[in-house]
Amino acid sequence: MERTCIMYSTLNKGYLTLQLEREYLPHGTNGTLYLYGKPICHTIELPWRDNRRNVSCIPEGRYRLVRSLGRRFHYCIRLLDVPGRSGILIHPANDAATELRGCIAPVTTHTGAGKGVYSRVAMERVEDVVYPVLAEGEDVWLEVLSVDHSATGNFVR
């Protein structure tokens, strides 16, 4: 299967911002990752547990992404300056409860709260967007937001 590359606009040269829209559920956090308003893939994370290490998803905010060499996942994407946390990665996983310790996993489809399928395929989509920009020496940012479905469906910061 051939990988396709989604290139960033030259109008935004200097940085690229991805948006992660989250929905918090009791047993996991499900999200969708967007580039310029178009979905790249879905995501899964642990539920929100007051930003406690190894058991909670990270707080909403804006984080710089870098390419990093991880022990377990070889090259991966690391989030910098997460308050009260370190070692937060974007890496493949299909079940947040058994495979994540605070990281974010891309998936192609949600199958439940904090669960999804075809994570490696989704990870390749994210890499195809992020790595070329980083290779050019440009910044890549992740903006994490929640979706309020109870009212208007607008984002809540």
Side-chain angles (χ1 to χ4, degrees):
M1 178 179 199
E2 185 176 326
R3 290 172 64 175
T4 59
C5 184
I6 303 169
M7 294 304 293
Y8 69 109
S9 169
T10 56
L11 295 174
N12 290 332
K13 192 150 176 72
Y15 67 92
L16 173 75
T17 300
L18 303 174
Q19 283 193 322
L20 174 56
E21 299 175 7
R22 284 176 166 166
E23 180 179 10
Y24 299 97
L25 305 166
H27 300 291
T29 301
N30 291 353
T32 302
L33 189 63
Y34 291 92
L35 174 65
Y36 304 123
K38 295 182 181 180
I40 299 171
C41 64
H42 297 291
T43 62
I44 58 170
E45 300 172 75
L46 292 170
W48 174 251
R49 294 184 177 133
D50 297 319
N51 197 33
R52 292 191 324 246
R53 291 175 189 256
N54 300 319
V55 296
S56 177
C57 60
I58 63 170
E60 294 173 17
R62 186 172 165 88
Y63 305 103
R64 188 165 168 230
L65 302 180
V66 296
R67 188 172 180 173
S68 180
L69 185 59
R71 287 178 272 156
R72 184 171 174 205
F73 300 102
H74 308 289
Y75 279 106
C76 53
I77 299 169
R78 181 176 307 274
L79 282 71
L80 299 181
D81 301 322
V82 176
R85 305 286 284 277
S86 62
I88 303 297
L89 307 174
I90 299 175
H91 67 78
N94 292 306
D95 186 339
T98 61
E99 299 176 82
L100 298 179
R101 293 176 38 202
C103 298
I104 301 168
V107 295
T108 58
T109 304
H110 291 126
T111 59
K115 295 183 180 186
V117 292
Y118 303 112
S119 187
R120 292 192 188 282
V121 171
M123 185 69 197
E124 288 178 358
R125 292 181 194 163
V126 176
E127 290 170 345
D128 286 347
V129 169
V130 171
Y131 287 167
V133 179
L134 292 175
E136 290 293 319
E138 308 296 341
D139 288 342
V140 178
W141 295 86
L142 176 67
E143 186 175 38
V144 181
L145 309 165
S146 66
V147 178
D148 180 10
H149 290 293
S150 63
T152 63
N154 292 331
F155 300 112
V156 177
R157 289 191 191 268

